[in-house]
Amino acid sequence: MAPPPPKRPSRSTPPDRILRRGGIHDGPGSAHHPSRGFATRRTAEAQGADPAYIPYVPEQPDENTPRDLVEAHDYYLTPRAQHPNAKNKQLFAKSISRIFTFDAFHLVEDLFTAPLLIVAGSEAGSLWMSTELHGRVRSPKKLVVVEGGAHMDFYDVPKYVDHAVAEATPFFRENLGAHCEGN
């Protein structure tokens, strides 16, 4: 029996997960899979071609841009958080191939031993990462999902930042209390 075709990611699926799952339309064996472009570009650069750069967030989001990337554009490329030294570019072959192979959860069950508070928005494309991490960590932990919040909201929107801070104080007092007495 043939394996089922890869699931098409939702508009809120993070780019690294899209890459690992086989792109938006085709599976890893397809000629259209993004890894084919990485390999071709990396080979060209190894043979002396100039490095290629791509934007980190879209310069001009449209109706097909995932919500998290639209919000990243609104945060990083507007006066809200734009900085003249942040050029919105990354090396294509080196950056993307590293994202493609990176696993932030490798050995987390064994290596993560500190108390962990995870505050995530119910609308964040990264929520799957928060729930997966919470399920795997063995140390004292708490997952708080804030209704309506998206990933970037926790950077500077008072409603969401204040909620996260309100969760942090009692959690860390309870889990680090003996270490924090007198401070």
Side-chain angles (χ1 to χ4, degrees):
M1 179 195 306
K7 182 180 176 188
R8 183 183 173 111
S10 72
R11 289 187 64 223
S12 64
T13 302
D16 58 330
R17 193 170 204 185
I18 289 171
L19 294 175
R20 282 192 214 106
R21 295 276 172 106
I24 294 179
H25 300 289
D26 302 306
S30 166
H32 301 292
H33 186 267
S35 64
R36 304 262 182 195
F38 306 147
T40 302
R41 186 68 219 167
R42 198 167 42 204
T43 299
E45 290 179 19
Q47 294 172 345
D50 289 337
Y53 291 88
I54 59 173
Y56 182 69
V57 297
E59 296 285 343
Q60 295 296 322
D62 60 27
E63 67 278 352
N64 296 314
T65 305
R67 177 180 173 173
D68 284 1
L69 291 178
V70 171
E71 292 174 0
H73 170 273
D74 292 345
Y75 184 79
Y76 292 112
L77 300 182
T78 67
R80 181 176 168 198
Q82 190 172 35
H83 190 278
N85 291 335
K87 302 296 183 193
N88 188 34
K89 66 180 184 177
Q90 61 184 338
L91 287 166
F92 174 68
K94 291 184 179 178
S95 298
I96 299 301
S97 63
R98 289 180 177 153
I99 291 169
F100 187 77
T101 60
F102 179 70
D103 180 1
F105 299 123
H106 180 66
L107 299 176
V108 72
E109 296 89 348
D110 298 320
L111 298 179
F112 197 98
T113 59
L116 176 65
L117 172 65
I118 304 168
V119 181
S122 65
E123 301 301 313
S126 58
L127 180 59
W128 72 270
M129 296 178 211
S130 300
T131 57
E132 183 173 335
L133 181 61
H134 182 262
R136 292 177 64 173
V137 167
R138 297 180 186 154
S139 62
K141 60 189 175 183
K142 180 177 181 182
L143 172 63
V144 177
V145 178
V146 181
E147 190 60 38
H151 186 86
M152 299 292 168
D153 291 336
F154 291 90
Y155 290 7
D156 66 346
V157 177
K159 170 182 173 180
Y160 299 104
V161 173
D162 293 348
H163 193 117
V165 171
E167 292 289 342
T169 302
F171 177 82
F172 289 113
R173 184 169 285 133
E174 177 183 333
N175 288 284
L176 301 176
H179 302 286
C180 297
E181 296 301 320
N183 292 329

